[in-house]
Amino acid sequence: SFDPAACRARLTRQLGVANLKGYGLADDAVEIVAAGVLLDYLGENARRALDHLTSLSVYGERTFVGLDEPTQRNLELLANLQDGSRRFTLLEVLDQTRTAPGARKLRRRILTPLLDRAALERRLDAVESLYRDQLTLAKLRETLGGVRDLERLAARTSMERAGARDLLGIRSSLAAALETGSLFARAGPEAGGEPAAVLR
């Protein structure tokens, strides 16, 4: 499982590419082994094709501030030092998310702060735009309240494990996504894209 050549072959086969240079990975990149082993693990546990895995994202210290576990713990980002709960943490203060994928994304963003100032400013401008437009924000939160966990529903569907209730959840979630797109179109370009990811 940890053989670099086998991992590289596994990834190129999964992604349908000749090499991984398009993803910013040289042939000897250590990330290839990590991703290849993870793909192997997922394949063994799913026991079926992982057709829904079609892309690879690489990130590191050039993109995000590196926060090791002691730093995360001492800053009380996700859990406090007293009893390990989320009370009095940064997560508790910021978490106004309405969906499970949004909650997971917020946790990831807290643990991986951006280094790129321009990207950070775009994110803050988008949040400010919605903060100043409370009517759109209220409608957005109401719309997102009906969204199910699309990430998990899509995975269940791709592995042919979805039932009728899952498919109905996907349908209602996609309808909410279309409504969200309409809300951003009416709100103007400043609110487009990023707020959906921040607030969901």
Side-chain angles (χ1 to χ4, degrees):
S1 294
F2 287 85
D3 177 65
C7 290
R8 185 166 51 253
R10 196 175 299 130
L11 286 171
T12 54
R13 186 169 55 252
Q14 177 71 32
L15 301 173
V17 295
N19 59 60
L20 300 170
K21 291 180 182 175
Y23 296 96
L25 294 171
D27 286 342
D28 59 348
V30 294
E31 294 91 345
I32 291 176
V33 174
V37 169
L38 181 58
L39 186 61
D40 187 46
Y41 172 81
L42 292 173
E44 283 186 12
N45 283 275
R47 301 193 182 283
R48 60 181 65 237
L50 302 172
D51 297 334
H52 61 293
L53 301 180
T54 59
S55 185
L56 179 68
S57 298
V58 180
Y59 64 92
E61 293 181 355
R62 291 169 294 183
T63 310
F64 303 108
V65 177
L67 299 175
D68 57 23
E69 287 190 25
T71 301
Q72 295 173 22
R73 188 168 54 252
N74 289 327
L75 290 175
E76 297 184 305
L77 300 177
L78 304 181
N80 67 50
L81 291 171
Q82 185 174 0
D83 61 8
S85 73
R86 58 178 277 170
R87 294 182 64 225
F88 311 116
T89 63
L90 181 60
L91 177 63
E92 183 188 38
V93 172
L94 296 179
D95 192 1
Q96 300 295 318
T97 56
R98 299 285 289 163
T99 70
R104 288 194 294 269
K105 176 166 275 192
L106 178 62
R107 289 172 63 92
R108 286 195 301 269
R109 288 189 168 180
I110 288 174
L111 295 178
T112 53
L114 287 173
L115 275 176
D116 183 355
R117 180 169 180 166
L120 185 57
E121 292 290 346
R122 284 193 302 272
R123 185 180 292 175
L124 294 173
D125 289 344
V127 172
E128 182 181 6
S129 174
L130 278 179
Y131 176 75
R132 292 181 182 280
D133 187 352
Q134 289 293 312
L135 288 176
T136 299
L137 178 58
K139 181 61 178 171
L140 175 64
R141 291 183 58 77
E142 178 186 339
T143 302
L144 290 175
V147 173
R148 298 272 307 280
D149 193 339
L150 269 177
E151 292 175 351
R152 292 186 177 172
L153 288 175
R156 286 175 60 83
T157 303
S158 68
M159 293 188 292
E160 300 179 6
R161 293 181 180 171
R165 184 177 297 178
D166 296 324
L167 297 177
L168 288 172
I170 291 174
R171 182 182 72 174
S172 64
S173 298
L174 292 176
L178 290 173
E179 175 62 21
T180 300
S182 299
L183 284 171
F184 286 132
R186 292 194 295 269
E190 295 83 5
E194 190 65 24
V198 172
L199 297 172
R200 69 182 172 184

